Coordinates of all heavy atoms in Angstrom, one line a residue:
K106 N -4.5 -5.1 -2.1 CA -3.8 -6.2 -1.4 C -4.0 -6.1 0.1 O -4.2 -7.1 0.8 CB -2.3 -6.2 -1.7 CG -1.9 -6.4 -3.1 CD -2.0 -7.9 -3.5 CE -0.8 -8.7 -3.1 NZ -0.8 -10.0 -3.7
C190 N 2.7 -10.9 -12.6 CA 2.9 -11.5 -11.3 C 2.0 -12.6 -11.1 O 0.8 -12.4 -11.0 CB 2.7 -10.4 -10.2 SG 2.8 -11.2 -8.5
D192 N 1.5 -14.3 -8.5 CA 0.8 -14.3 -7.2 C -0.4 -13.3 -7.2 O -1.5 -13.6 -6.8 CB 1.8 -14.0 -6.1 CG 1.1 -14.0 -4.7 OD1 0.5 -15.1 -4.4 OD2 1.1 -13.0 -4.0
C193 N -0.1 -12.1 -7.7 CA -1.2 -11.0 -7.7 C -2.1 -11.3 -8.9 O -3.1 -10.6 -9.0 CB -0.6 -9.6 -7.8 SG 0.4 -9.2 -6.3
H357 N 8.2 -8.9 -8.0 CA 7.2 -7.9 -7.9 C 7.4 -7.2 -6.5 O 7.4 -7.9 -5.5 CB 5.8 -8.6 -7.9 CG 4.7 -7.6 -7.9 ND1 3.4 -7.9 -7.6 CD2 4.6 -6.3 -8.2 CE1 2.6 -6.8 -7.7 NE2 3.4 -5.8 -8.1
R359 N 5.6 -5.6 -4.6 CA 4.4 -5.7 -3.7 C 4.4 -7.0 -2.9 O 3.9 -7.1 -1.8 CB 3.1 -5.6 -4.4 CG 2.8 -4.2 -4.9 CD 2.3 -3.3 -3.8 NE 2.6 -2.0 -4.1 CZ 3.0 -1.1 -3.2 NH1 3.1 -1.4 -1.9 NH2 3.3 0.2 -3.6
C360 N 4.9 -8.1 -3.6 CA 4.7 -9.4 -2.9 C 6.0 -10.2 -3.0 O 6.0 -11.3 -2.4 CB 3.5 -10.1 -3.6 SG 3.9 -10.5 -5.3
T362 N 7.2 -12.0 -5.3 CA 7.1 -13.1 -6.2 C 7.9 -12.9 -7.5 O 8.0 -11.8 -8.0 CB 5.6 -13.3 -6.7 OG1 4.8 -13.4 -5.5 CG2 5.5 -14.6 -7.5
Ligands
LIG19 ZN1 2.6 -9.7 -6.9

Side-chain angles (χ1 to χ4, degrees):
K106 296 284 278 188
C190 175
D192 183 55
C193 298
H357 186 200
R359 287 281 152 217
C360 64
T362 308

